[in-house]
Amino acid sequence: MKRSHLTILTVLLIVGVIFATGVFTIEAQNPKKLIVSNFADANSLDPQMVSDTASFWIQNQIYEGLVRRTPDMGVQPALAEDWKFIDDRTIEFYLRQGVKFHNGDEFTAEDVLFSYQRLLDPEFGSPGASRLAMVDIDNVEIIDDYTIRIPTKEPFAAVLTYLAHSASLIISKSGVEEHGDAFGENPVGTGPFKLNNWRQGDEVVLDRFDDYWGGPAEVDQLVFRAIPEGTSRTIELETGGVHVSRGIERVDLDRVDNHPNLVLHLYEALRINYMGFNHEAEPFNDLRVRQAIAYALDHNEIVQAVYGPLGGPATGYINSNIWAFNPDTYLYHRDLDRARELMAEAGYADGFSTKIAINDDATRRSLAEVVSYQLEQLNIQTSIEVYEWGAYLDMTGRGDHEIYMLAWLASTGDPHHAMHPLFHSSNKGSAGNRQFFDNPRVDELLEKGMVETDVDQRMAFYQEAQQILSDEVVWIPLADDREAVGVHVSVTNFEPCPSGYHMFHKVGLE
Amino acid sequence: MATEATAVKTSARRKQRTKLQETWRRLKKNHWSMGGLILIVLLGLVAIFAEQIAPYGYNEQDYMNMLQGPSRQNLLGTDNLGRDVFSRIIHGSRLSLSIGFITTAIGLSVGGFLGALAAFYGGRIDNLIMRFMDVILAIPGFIFAIALVTALGPSLTNLMIAVGINTIPYFARIIRSSVMSTKENEFVEAARVIGSSDLWIIFKHLIPNSLAPILVQATLRIGDTIIIASGLSFLGLGAQPPLPEWGALLSAGRGYLRVAWWMATFPGIAIMITVLAFNLLGDGLRDALDPRLKN
Amino acid sequence: MFRYIAKRLISMVPVLIGVTFVVFAIMYFTPGDPATLLLGEEAPQAEVERMRERMGLNDPFLVQYGNFLLGLVQLDLGLSLTTGRPVFNEIMNRLPATIRLAGAAILVAILIGVTAGIIASTRQYTIYDGGAMFIALLGVSMPNFWLGLMMILVFSVFWNNTFGYVLFPSSGFGTLRHLVMPAIVLGTAHAAFITRITRSSMLEVLRQDYIRTARSKGLSNRIVVYVHALRNALMPVVTMAGLRFGVLLGGSVVTEQIFAIPGMGRLLVESVRSQNYTLVQGIILTYAIIFSLVNLAVDLLYAAIDPRIKVQYK
């Protein structure tokens, strides 16, 4: 009996020693190791397997598309050196020569065709397939190794911006053939960084790709650490655990801004936050009720209370940084008398009760709390219901909701992307038109805008559509997002990108 | 014959009563437990008179007064929407206490019923019920509650159901073993002889006779359920805004830890005091009911 | 002994099958369509329908459950709905962090709990006893997520404000410094629990005849306490601590969340948030298996020591 107790003690001791030694790891001090904090870990490093920004940000360092966005949201050459419109629905791309993939293979037109075919293969079921749904994939034509013709099914004005989307990043054909289902953990791209090691749930370590066609990156290693909690991201930034941190939260803005070793970049993101109504549900099918609510809310107060410097009051139906934005549309401001009048006209002088549905997100919780508090003034009693993201999309897509809060990120920066999914009647439900809005004139304008190639004409179509949306109070625009990136002073050449996918090829470390 | 049975019953009742009196006498001597009991009564009063005690409404927002530290106007500071943290905690006592009592009541009633059923009938029913309890107990409680709330959707009611279901096996086991030991007693035999129905016997005789262990278990469980429930709320799976449930307050305070430490600190203290009170009382009850354990 | 182990292992099987059924049923009735989740918010309806068919989501409940069990036998828990990777691999990736955290917490709990319990029991009714018992009571009454936030506040935030550096980092995993706060946070409630049991168990043992005999033989108090009494008092402690291991596992979910530890608990919360029900299913099952294995280990430990069980299964 005595011996067995001794055994237990010994076992405990050994376990203790294992733990103690196992957790001591010596951190190699690489002078050129740039550490970046990300909201979450990548879901996959295969750009055709994901639809979340955390994954896309990392992938944009590993892969490149035919074209890419410039920081001012233009389009510039990437893997395609140049291109030419053959007719109104076909573009011929002239590919860069001598570009190497991370596995040493040469990049050719075959890889482009393969990437797009895989993306659009219904059997493969990529979440990004809808991004290139306009491409007529069966008729893509390879002219030679460095020339490829890509037709669209119909004339489509914004095709280049969609080819610059992260879903359209070019993957290596031989890489996919070699790794098969494990490609997402063994990415092969042409970008300035290649995968070294991925500790899932924790960090992705990328190495400089020395054969990058644009010249090797400034730093030897680029590490993306997954830190979901905003405060922790800032603490890590302040204490030197990371050099660049995306998503600095409102409470930390001043700290970062006033910190001697940190620089705060505030930039306009292309996202608009809104409070939507289900137009097929009582009483929100009544324009007067929607107007009354618009008059009951104090826009500036909401944005000030919830977003602070991280949001500007939204005054229209697309983010104000998208070029087709019409600034003179949504002009409601708080006017409780007018709101009460409208409520009385609609037959709700005594108010009503309704539900505000949100997903599980701290900012949206606050938004809902403020809106709910302000609507009490009209005797509109609200209960807030919080859903998990999947259930939320499901529920709002089916039309089981009354009031809901969402945001729309038009990452391509094109008004078609910003408006068509949200307001065209063919997209009712889970395709994006979650308010179940149906207006033939808006449908017509959005269709015209899609095929028109003249920029001024497109602008006119989209601006008219926005005016109608505002007259109809389709939803209440809340705030245009601004995003804050904190950067350590030792980091050079950092330039934020409105898409949120800040690039690190030229970024150095002193 | 009937009179005989009644006589046996009353004597059993009397025994029961004197045992409770004896317990109370012993409990009164334990200062710690009395402290716990007084705390519970105080918390109950706070919950009942929350409207009168709290200086502000729990959802009264003031955007000019956001994230202010403790002061004379706001005893425990204000939150990110300028709401008074003290008032929110006071109002929240209602939620936390009802969560504790209701979840325990769910566990006690369902678990007690199942346990009594299992013990009374034995055999296959016993086996079926208790194996099912084993299955639930094989999943760590908090994790099982997460799964249930995921399925039911996060809300205060569903939180109580999930945590309540969690406590069922504990009560089922206790009542089962307690009924097992009392069901052979003569007064049960007597009741059966006079033709009482099974349910009548279970509710009238067996469960009351298992009161002592149930009481201890229930008191200690209330503390546990408050912690589990606030943990779920902390993860965003419980009470929803703007309800001032303590776990939810703590969770909201987490994002403001560095600029407004009071937002996370005080709700946690409230949880701790409440759970402590129930644990003190529970410990005392256990010792008082079973003096052998008292060292 | 071998027969005993075999018997215990076999008795685990029906319970675990029961667990699979309960977990599968819960997830089956969870709202939210996995196919929509997999394809993303902008996918057309026809594609979603095709995906549902491919994933077998249109099959009847029992067929789906049967397929799930068949997969389980081959360690195939399906594919994660957010990453498309096998659930089994995802869990194996996260398991080490959880085990390391839980192990460290147990270590903390045993060291603190047993020590405090001995001190309290050998100095019954002194200030040490009262103090230790009161702290232990606070320990079991304290929500661990609150303790975690308070430790971050003190050792990361205030420390940094005062001394200009962080004593223990508030997030991340890998080094011992990262492990200190999470282990204490997770271990505290357990330590408090162990303190209480150790004390009462020790008091019980110290009153036994053989302890009196040992004392009367003139053995020093220290030997009596640490060799004779502790040895016998520890068994109930181990049993109870094993039974309560489930609480510790549950606590690890919140702890991992607070300190951003890439373990199974954080994966569970992420999966719940993204309605990744295949992953939730697999994770809960893994927790149940770990919990069962720990209890098995405790039983075996007990059996190895208790001669009565040894004889029974010779």
Side-chain angles (χ1 to χ4, degrees), chain A residues 10 26 30 82 111 173 179-180 195 197 290 303 322 325 327 336 351 356 365 379 386 400 420 435 505:
Chain A
T10 326
I26 297 152
N30 192 328
D82 199 7
D111 296 297
K173 185 180 179 187
H179 298 292
L195 181 67
N197 181 34
R290 301 198 298 270
V303 174
I322 292 170
F325 175 67
L336 283 175
I356 301 182
R365 274 172 202 262
N379 221 359
V386 185
D400 291 347
H420 193 275
Q435 63 275 8
H505 174 222

Side-chain angles (χ1 to χ4, degrees), chain A residues 1-2 4-5 8 12 15-16 19-20 22-25 27 41-44 49-51 122-131 184-185 198-202 225-228 232 235-236 238-239 255 360 388-391 393-394 406 408 417 421 430-432 434, chain C residues 31-33 36-45 47 50-51 54 82-85 89-90 93-94 99-101 103-104 107 110 152 156-157 160-161 166 169-176 179 227 231-232 234-235 258 260 262 266 270 272-275 301 304-305:
Chain A
M1 206 153 165
K2 193 175 188 173
S4 21
H5 281 297
I8 301 172
L12 284 179
V15 170
F19 273 110
V23 292
F24 271 121
T25 50
E27 192 94 11
D41 189 23
N43 282 324
S44 167
M49 289 288 286
V50 301
S51 58
E123 278 306 301
F124 184 66
S126 168
S130 60
R131 304 288 178 192
E185 285 142 89
W198 181 6
R199 254 203 348 235
Q200 274 164 19
D202 195 17
R225 280 184 57 192
I227 309 179
S232 305
I235 293 176
E236 288 292 304
E238 284 176 14
T239 53
R255 296 179 78 93
D360 189 2
E388 304 303 345
W389 183 236
L393 291 181
D394 197 39
L406 259 179
W408 186 255
H417 190 192
S430 58
R434 292 169 196 274
Chain C
D33 177 24
T36 312
L37 272 155
L38 199 59
L39 291 174
E41 119 187 62
E42 292 167 51
Q45 201 51 49
E47 245 174 75
R50 204 160 35 224
M51 184 56 87
R54 231 174 74 190
T82 46
T83 66
R85 287 193 293 260
N89 297 7
E90 297 268 3
N93 269 329
R94 301 298 192 95
I99 289 185
R100 193 187 270 183
L101 171 65
L107 212 64
I110 291 175
I152 290 180
S156 300
V157 178
N160 187 32
N161 292 349
V166 168
S170 64
S171 75
F173 206 58
T175 70
L176 189 60
L179 197 59
V227 178
R231 212 172 57 188
N232 292 296
L234 269 185
M235 276 333 286
I258 290 176
R266 208 172 118 204
E270 282 165 15
V272 163
R273 294 238 160 101
S274 55
Q275 297 270 303
L301 204 66
I305 289 161

Side-chain angles (χ1 to χ4, degrees), chain A residues 75-92:
Chain A
V75 171
Q76 70 178 29
L79 286 174
E81 262 177 330
D82 199 7
W83 54 87
K84 193 170 78 191
F85 280 87
I86 307 278
D87 54 51
D88 65 353
R89 57 181 74 182
T90 311
I91 321 178
E92 190 165 275

Side-chain angles (χ1 to χ4, degrees), chain B residues 52-73:
Chain B
Q52 284 73 34
I53 298 171
Y56 303 92
Y58 71 84
N59 196 24
E60 219 173 300
Q61 304 175 3
D62 177 1
Y63 313 123
M64 305 321 303
N65 200 16
M66 300 191 299
L67 298 174
Q68 297 300 308
S71 67
R72 205 172 298 164
Q73 285 78 38

Side-chain angles (χ1 to χ4, degrees), chain C residues 85-146:
Chain C
R85 287 193 293 260
V87 166
F88 184 76
N89 297 7
E90 297 268 3
I91 292 175
M92 286 304 135
N93 269 329
R94 301 298 192 95
L95 196 57
T98 297
I99 289 185
R100 193 187 270 183
L101 171 65
I106 283 278
L107 212 64
V108 167
I110 291 175
L111 285 180
I112 298 177
V114 171
T115 317
I118 293 171
I119 293 173
S121 62
T122 49
R123 298 175 194 185
Q124 207 186 353
Y125 302 128
T126 65
I127 185 101
Y128 297 101
D129 183 24
M133 284 302 100
F134 186 70
I135 292 172
L137 202 58
L138 278 186
V140 291
S141 308
M142 195 172 357
N144 67 351
F145 46 93
W146 180 73

Side-chain angles (χ1 to χ4, degrees), chain A residues 473-509:
Chain A
V473 199
V474 172
W475 32 254
I476 311 270
L478 291 173
D480 284 349
D481 270 356
R482 290 196 195 109
E483 215 198 309
V485 184
V487 178
H488 196 263
V489 284
S490 61
V491 176
T492 57
N493 258 334
F494 179 82
E495 194 178 358
C497 193
S499 63
Y501 307 139
H502 320 298
M503 305 299 289
F504 292 100
H505 174 222
K506 300 271 185 226
V507 175
L509 200 57

Side-chain angles (χ1 to χ4, degrees), chain B residues 139-160:
Chain B
I139 309 172
F142 189 72
I143 288 156
F144 187 53
I146 290 180
L148 283 173
V149 177
T150 309
L152 298 170
S155 79
L156 192 62
T157 324
N158 294 341
L159 172 81
M160 292 198 262

